[in-house]
């Protein structure tokens, strides 16, 4: 029996084509340029070096640059949600499912709130928002992050479905026992996913009978 539905946010609960993640990356460059008083080109190089070493810039800004992860994330996640549209169908779909629902994101609570407000998905449909701060800035970069997430909520992975748009994160979730759903607008398949769908709406339509 499935008791928990765990949702990534960016690229999962809204389409990647909205451009929010592209704007977020641009804000990474802007942050380094402003904070460190360097050119945009140098800022891009700093980002590249952090990604190569840590796989996510936020993981390395404190160790390498002496910048708090919270300050970094609050800046880069303050993206405009103007390109998002209401998703009334998603709100309806989620409201009909009895499972505990949690958003698991490496971004900030304020970003989650802004996205849900713009897409008109009721934040109260979710039992909790597990953002970067709540996870003590341990990002979805290794299996331990998922294990700690499960321990935090007393989740049994085999009783849970994880929805995500990044193949690496799907593989990590699968490795600790989650059932996995890969969301990809271009309809690429992820070999470690139990299910592959173009959108979260499509996924929930297909899985409705399984979940009720």
């Amino acid at each position: 029996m499935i008791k928990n539905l765990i949702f990534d946010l960016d690229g999962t609960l809204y389409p990647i084509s909205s451009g929010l993640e592209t704007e977020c990356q641009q804000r990474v460059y802007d942050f380094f340029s402003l904070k460190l008083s360097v050119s945009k080109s140098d800022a891009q190089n700093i980002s590249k070096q952090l990604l190569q070493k840590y796989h996510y810039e936020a993981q390395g800004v404190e160790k390498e640059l002496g910048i708090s992860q919270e300050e970094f994330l609050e800046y880069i996640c303050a993206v405009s949600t103007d390109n998002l549209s209401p998703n009334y169908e998603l709100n309806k779909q989620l409201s009909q499912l009895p499972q505990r629902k949690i958003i698991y994101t490496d971004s900030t609570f304020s970003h989650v709130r802004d996205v849900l407000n713009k897409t008109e998905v009721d934040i109260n449909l979710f039992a909790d928002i597990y953002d970067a701060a709540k996870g003590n800035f341990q990002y979805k970069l290794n299996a331990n992050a998922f294990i700690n997430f499960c321990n935090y909520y007393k989740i049994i992975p085999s009783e849970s479905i994880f929805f995500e748009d990044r193949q690496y994160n799907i593989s990590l979730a699968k490795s600790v026992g989650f059932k996995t759903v890969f969301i990809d607008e271009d309809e690429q398949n992820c070999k470690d996913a139990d299910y592959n769908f173009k959108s979260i709406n499509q996924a929930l339509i297909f899985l409705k009978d399984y979940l009720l």
Side-chain angles (χ1 to χ4, degrees):
M1 176 184 293
I2 298 300
K3 297 181 179 179
N4 306 286
L5 302 178
I6 314 303
F7 299 93
D8 170 57
L9 179 74
D10 298 302
T12 300
L13 291 184
Y14 68 83
I16 194 73
S17 59
S18 65
L20 264 70
E21 290 200 4
T22 300
E23 182 183 347
C24 181
Q25 187 59 56
Q26 186 60 51
R27 289 185 68 81
V28 169
Y29 304 146
D30 292 344
F31 179 85
F32 289 143
S33 182
L34 292 168
K35 187 73 175 178
L36 303 175
S37 300
V38 299
S39 68
K40 191 63 66 69
S41 176
D42 286 342
Q44 291 172 345
N45 287 332
I46 291 168
S47 171
K48 182 179 179 180
Q49 291 166 7
L50 289 172
L51 285 172
Q52 288 175 339
K53 188 171 182 177
Y54 296 99
H55 305 290
Y56 185 37
E57 295 104 332
Q59 183 77 20
V61 291
E62 204 158 314
K63 297 176 184 177
E64 301 290 337
L65 304 173
I67 299 169
S68 78
Q69 295 177 69
E70 186 173 13
E71 179 187 1
F72 175 74
L73 288 172
E74 286 294 342
Y75 185 93
I76 71 167
C77 290
V79 295
S80 169
T81 57
D82 288 348
N83 287 339
L84 297 179
S85 302
N87 192 341
Y88 302 117
E89 180 62 23
L90 177 58
N91 192 73
K92 180 180 178 181
Q93 289 173 308
L94 292 172
S95 69
Q96 293 173 339
L97 297 174
Q99 289 81 7
R100 177 171 58 162
K101 306 167 194 70
I102 299 170
I103 291 177
Y104 180 11
T105 177
D106 286 340
S107 65
T108 61
F109 178 86
S110 58
H111 177 57
V112 175
R113 180 199 60 214
D114 292 346
V115 166
L116 295 181
N117 283 343
K118 183 64 176 182
T119 55
E120 299 200 30
V121 174
D122 186 358
I123 196 170
N124 294 309
L125 292 172
F126 299 94
D128 204 7
I129 310 298
Y130 191 81
D131 66 348
K134 186 164 285 186
N136 293 317
F137 302 102
Q138 183 182 30
Y139 307 101
K140 288 183 275 187
L141 299 174
N142 55 64
N144 284 336
F146 285 86
I147 292 170
N148 290 339
F149 168 79
C150 291
N151 291 338
Y152 188 92
Y153 293 107
K154 296 180 170 57
I155 285 174
I156 298 173
S158 61
E159 297 177 347
S160 311
I161 299 180
F162 180 64
F163 298 80
E164 168 71 59
D165 70 309
R166 295 180 183 272
Q167 295 199 29
Y168 182 74
N169 293 346
I170 285 284
S171 299
L172 289 174
K174 187 74 172 178
S175 74
V176 300
F178 279 97
K179 298 183 187 304
T180 53
V181 174
F182 181 58
I183 305 296
D184 188 271
E185 241 182 313
D186 295 327
E187 299 185 87
Q188 296 183 40
N189 285 344
C190 173
K191 63 181 178 61
D192 287 329
D194 294 296
Y195 302 96
N196 292 271
F197 295 103
K198 184 176 182 178
S199 69
I200 189 64
N201 295 87
Q202 184 187 68
L204 293 179
I205 289 171
F206 183 88
L207 295 171
K208 182 177 180 180
D209 291 341
Y210 176 56
L211 295 172
L212 292 177

